[in-house]
Amino acid sequence: MRGIITDRMGIFRLVLAEMRYRWGGALLGALSIAVAAGCLIASLALLREHDLVTARILAEKEKDLARRLSVYEDEVRKLTKNMGFNVLILPRETDLARFYAEDSPGATFPEEYAQRLVDSRVVTINHVLPSLQMRVKWPEKDRTVLLMGVRGEVWIKAEGQRPIQEAVAPGEIWLGHELHRGLSLKPGDRVSFMGREFTVGRCRSERGGKDDITVWMNLAEAQELLGLRGRINAILALECNCAAGVDRLGEIRAEMARILPETQVIEFQTQALARAEARSKAAAHAREQIEQERRARRELGRKKEILASVVVPLLWAAGGVWIGFLSLFNVRERRLEIGLLRALGVRTFPILALVLSRAKLVGLGGAVLGLAGGLAAVLLWSPNPEMRQAVAGMIRPGTVLLVLLGAPFLAGISAWIPAVLAARQDPAEVLRNG
Amino acid sequence: MLRLENVVRIWRGPQEVRALAGVSLEVRPGEFVAVHGPSGCGKTTLLLVAGGLLAPDSGRVEVGGEDLYAISPERRARLRAARVGFVFQQFHLLPYLDVLGNVMAATLGHPTEGAEERARELLGRLGLGPRLRHRPDQLSAGEQQRTALARALLNRPGLLLADEPTGNLDEAAAEEVLRHLEEFARAGGAVLLVTHNPRALARAGRTVRMENGRFL
């Protein structure tokens, strides 16, 4: 052996020479530690990469959400640009505060206004729904209800038009959900309303508003009951539009005021509100998707952590046991050598050091191999920027020292029993028996 | 240099064997003593007890005036490394060290100044100068035994214990080893040789026959 030409042979040099001579056993031990160390490093890198990829995916989705919302808002704005307005035409004298509070306009205007609006052709309207509505007492049932006299749509186009409101047949009433439920009425029942007999035509499902306490009836019969023959107090005009202009609602209002004197026009539901609702729903949906992604990746990460927390310690334990067996085998193989060293006056501690140093060197070699191999393996497995970043994060003094010190420590612990057996070996017995 | 007084050593097992049954022996500096006898008569046990490797059941063993088994094992190991040299029939060289490394292995138990220079000088005297870098498996049996002899002599021991050192050697190699043992004794060392070899017995200053754990 070269390199030992000093005034003293050291245990460390002896260990190195022996390892070089019996390199197979040393290599097997180092490989077992390398697998454990490599798996530890690879697991840490994979978990770190998972976090980084999650952060990137979520950031990309957030960015995409913002971009899509912007595009969506723009598209909605463009789409609604040419969409008509819904307007409610009320008598000019109607106090809106009172109307909103009581659901009754108070004043009335002629029923023929509805036909005049259709005939004017100045404003494009798709649906015209005249009504007479009033909060009244239902004396027979001792209830306050909203009476809505309707006649269905005023026909604008005879062909191809799908009515959005049906007319109530004479002699029938339709009841809101709260009324028919509270009064235990069903279609076909006969019922007295303000002194006249009606048949319950329909019982409407729950809508969660004033519709639930509304009684719908034929407009003419409502006019008769209320003593307002030929009068109505509201026209709902849906999807109104005009040819051009910036302030289209203003232009529509002006046109209607000219066609229908003694009326006022209020916008029924704004485009802005529709846009806001649409945007809000889209954003909520997208955010829910992002949240789902976040939860899914968190769960995946948790599963990976659990797997790593089981597999890595098992591999370390297996590596430790393997080192222990190899050390035991090595000690048995070197019984004569150890006996000779005792005969040469080598004491207990150097014999312990002889076995433990060997195991620690094997552990150190395995740790270096595992560190390099683990990082190389994950880079080959997943060559993405996050993995490169994760690997760079692994090459820190703390992590490297943990592996480079931890593996020899474990190997030393594993070889402790073989070392003690070697130190306690009776040299006389070995040398006597040859 | 070596004194054994009424030493008893019994091997216990299924059948009890009195390997040393009250043995007394003194080997003075400059004396070459050879012990011979049939196999199993206790010769090797005698060497192990004399070298501080095997405690007797009773009796006293002194090396250089120090009671070997009255001191701690650690101190006994130091004393053995400094004052006792062993030569075995099987050589017991470390297979992964070269000739120089094997000789220097003696410093593991007793580091000394100028050990390497002395190792080279010893190996030169023993005719192994050109073989310093050879490993045991590249040496002849005689060369291996001379390497083992150099290792035993490196720390300038006062006592050399040799267990059948010529047992595995041809005639010429055995002669050479015996010549070196003689030289060691002439230089003031004490040699206790265990052997079956008649030539070795003829070279010894004093011979002792042993049977059933006793000197005859």
Side-chain angles (χ1 to χ4, degrees):
Chain A
M1 180 205 158
R2 296 183 190 283
I4 59 159
I5 313 165
T6 64
D7 264 6
R8 184 181 178 183
M9 164 71 73
I11 286 291
F12 191 67
R13 287 166 187 261
L14 198 69
V15 169
L16 284 179
E18 192 273 337
M19 283 175 67
R20 200 155 59 179
Y21 181 71
R22 298 192 180 97
W23 59 270
L27 183 64
L28 279 177
L31 285 178
S32 70
I33 291 292
V35 169
C39 283
L40 171 67
I41 285 295
S43 300
L44 291 174
L46 284 169
L47 290 173
R48 178 71 185 135
E49 185 230 10
H50 178 84
D51 290 345
L52 291 170
V53 169
T54 299
R56 174 177 56 79
I57 288 173
L58 293 178
E60 282 173 359
K61 282 191 179 286
E62 293 277 6
K63 195 175 168 186
D64 185 55
L65 169 65
R67 186 188 58 76
R68 277 194 297 152
L69 281 179
S70 173
V71 171
Y72 181 75
E73 191 167 0
D74 192 47
E75 284 175 354
V76 169
R77 189 180 59 76
K78 285 174 185 169
L79 284 170
T80 55
K81 185 180 173 188
N82 297 317
M83 193 182 282
F85 293 89
N86 297 334
V87 297
L88 185 63
I89 301 164
L90 298 170
R92 181 184 289 164
E93 306 92 304
T94 296
D95 176 359
L96 289 178
R98 195 175 160 195
F99 170 66
Y100 291 136
E102 298 178 359
D103 297 315
S104 296
T108 59
F109 51 73
E111 185 182 345
E112 59 93 15
Y113 269 27
Q115 192 60 49
R116 192 193 297 182
L117 182 61
V118 169
D119 294 342
S120 70
R121 305 285 180 192
V122 176
V123 175
T124 304
I125 304 171
N126 281 336
H127 305 280
V128 172
L129 308 170
S131 65
L132 178 62
Q133 61 187 70
M134 196 167 291
R135 188 180 291 270
V136 297
K137 189 84 175 174
W138 186 349
E140 291 85 350
K141 302 294 184 187
D142 194 23
R143 281 181 179 242
T144 299
V145 299
L146 185 61
L147 175 61
M148 182 73 80
V150 293
R151 51 173 275 199
E153 284 194 53
V154 177
W155 290 110
I156 298 169
K157 292 168 270 187
E159 285 184 25
Q161 183 176 358
R162 285 186 65 186
I164 62 170
Q165 187 180 60
E166 293 178 64
V168 180
E172 274 189 6
I173 57 172
W174 297 354
L175 298 175
H177 179 263
E178 181 55 29
L179 291 179
H180 70 74
R181 191 185 64 82
L183 300 173
S184 301
L185 294 171
K186 59 184 184 303
D189 288 351
R190 295 288 292 171
V191 65
S192 179
F193 185 86
M194 294 177 76
R196 288 183 69 163
E197 288 295 314
F198 291 92
T199 301
V200 177
R202 288 185 192 176
C203 292
R204 294 197 140 166
S205 56
E206 190 172 13
R207 294 186 179 180
K210 63 187 179 184
D211 282 358
D212 289 347
I213 56 161
T214 297
V215 174
W216 286 269
M217 68 172 59
N218 181 274
L219 178 60
E221 288 177 336
Q223 287 167 335
E224 274 183 35
L225 276 178
L226 297 171
L228 293 168
R229 189 181 297 272
R231 307 293 290 182
I232 56 175
N233 57 12
I235 298 173
L236 187 58
L238 303 179
E239 298 173 29
C240 310
N241 216 335
C242 59
V246 178
D247 182 14
R248 290 181 300 135
L249 182 59
E251 290 169 22
I252 288 167
R253 276 178 168 151
E255 284 298 326
M256 286 190 175
R258 192 179 57 75
I259 299 161
L260 307 174
E262 299 171 2
T263 62
Q264 59 178 315
V265 178
I266 59 174
E267 190 180 5
F268 195 56
Q269 278 186 332
T270 66
Q271 292 174 351
L273 184 61
R275 278 202 298 268
E277 281 182 0
R279 185 180 62 234
S280 174
K281 282 181 181 172
H285 180 65
R287 287 208 175 85
E288 177 58 26
Q289 282 185 325
I290 290 175
E291 195 50 40
Q292 278 179 1
E293 178 80 29
R294 193 193 309 275
R295 281 197 295 267
R297 290 202 63 85
R298 196 182 297 143
E299 180 63 17
L300 182 63
R302 200 177 64 81
K303 284 178 180 169
K304 284 182 178 176
E305 278 177 20
I306 290 172
L307 183 67
S309 69
V310 171
V311 170
V312 170
L314 274 178
L315 284 172
W316 278 96
V321 169
W322 182 236
I323 289 278
F325 273 118
L326 288 174
S327 297
L328 194 61
F329 180 75
N330 183 258
V331 164
R332 289 180 68 84
E333 195 180 8
R334 298 167 69 188
R335 286 175 76 241
L336 270 173
E337 180 190 324
I338 291 166
L340 171 81
L341 292 175
R342 297 311 293 258
L344 291 175
V346 177
R347 292 177 285 282
T348 302
F349 182 77
I351 296 292
L352 283 173
L354 191 70
V355 180
L356 294 178
S357 301
R358 184 183 192 279
K360 287 177 182 176
L361 276 175
V362 165
L364 183 64
V368 172
L369 275 177
L371 195 63
L375 293 179
V378 291
L379 278 175
L380 286 172
W381 175 265
S382 182
N384 58 40
E386 284 81 8
M387 185 54 87
R388 282 198 292 275
Q389 193 181 339
V391 166
M394 291 289 107
I395 308 171
R396 284 180 181 162
T399 313
V400 172
L401 277 178
L402 176 74
V403 175
L404 294 187
L405 295 180
F409 178 75
L410 174 81
I413 295 285
S414 304
W416 180 252
I417 291 175
V420 170
L421 290 176
R424 292 177 62 178
Q425 189 174 291
D426 183 359
E429 190 185 336
V430 176
L431 294 171
R432 194 168 71 97
N433 297 325
Chain B
M1 186 67 208
L2 170 68
R3 179 197 295 269
L4 288 86
E5 286 180 14
N6 202 23
V7 172
V8 175
R9 173 68 206 199
I10 300 168
W11 292 111
R12 291 180 176 80
Q15 193 176 359
E16 198 171 88
V17 177
R18 289 175 77 84
L20 299 177
V23 168
S24 295
L25 175 72
E26 184 170 1
V27 184
R28 295 186 184 84
E31 198 174 8
F32 185 167
V33 177
V35 178
H36 65 104
S39 294
C41 71
K43 301 189 296 293
T44 298
T45 303
L46 175 72
L47 282 192
L48 294 173
V49 169
L53 289 170
L54 183 64
D57 292 304
S58 64
R60 183 182 170 90
V61 180
E62 282 181 18
V63 171
E66 193 145 13
D67 186 347
L68 267 188
Y69 296 99
I71 58 179
S72 70
E74 293 295 297
R75 195 169 157 205
R76 185 159 61 242
R78 274 198 294 275
L79 188 143
R80 184 166 59 242
R83 297 191 187 176
V84 182
F86 280 96
V87 181
F88 303 95
Q89 182 179 0
Q90 304 295 336
F91 323 135
H92 293 324
L93 297 177
L94 302 181
Y96 46 85
L97 296 181
D98 61 16
V99 167
L100 185 59
N102 265 288
V103 176
M104 289 293 287
T107 61
L108 282 166
H110 184 70
T112 51
E113 284 290 321
E116 189 204 328
E117 195 182 338
R118 177 164 165 72
R120 286 175 179 277
E121 180 213 321
L122 273 173
L123 289 167
R125 267 175 30 206
L126 291 166
L128 292 167
R131 301 293 229 169
L132 295 185
R133 295 295 167 210
H134 287 72
R135 285 202 318 208
D137 58 358
Q138 297 167 316
L139 301 176
S140 68
E143 288 170 329
Q144 289 187 58
Q145 191 59 294
R146 278 181 279 148
T147 302
L149 187 59
R151 180 180 64 196
L153 297 174
L154 183 70
N155 292 333
R156 302 177 196 279
L159 173 65
L160 199 58
L161 301 174
D163 187 1
E164 297 279 9
T166 58
N168 286 336
L169 305 181
D170 60 30
E171 210 167 283
E175 275 298 316
E176 194 170 356
V177 168
L178 290 171
R179 184 171 61 80
H180 288 296
L181 293 180
E182 271 181 327
E183 279 178 13
F184 175 75
R186 272 202 296 274
V191 178
L192 178 60
L193 169 72
V194 165
T195 186
H196 285 112
N197 186 343
R199 286 173 181 275
L201 291 172
R203 304 287 282 267
R206 176 157 59 110
T207 61
V208 182
R209 180 161 177 84
M210 195 175 185
E211 276 182 29
N212 298 321
R214 294 177 190 278
F215 291 139
L216 299 178

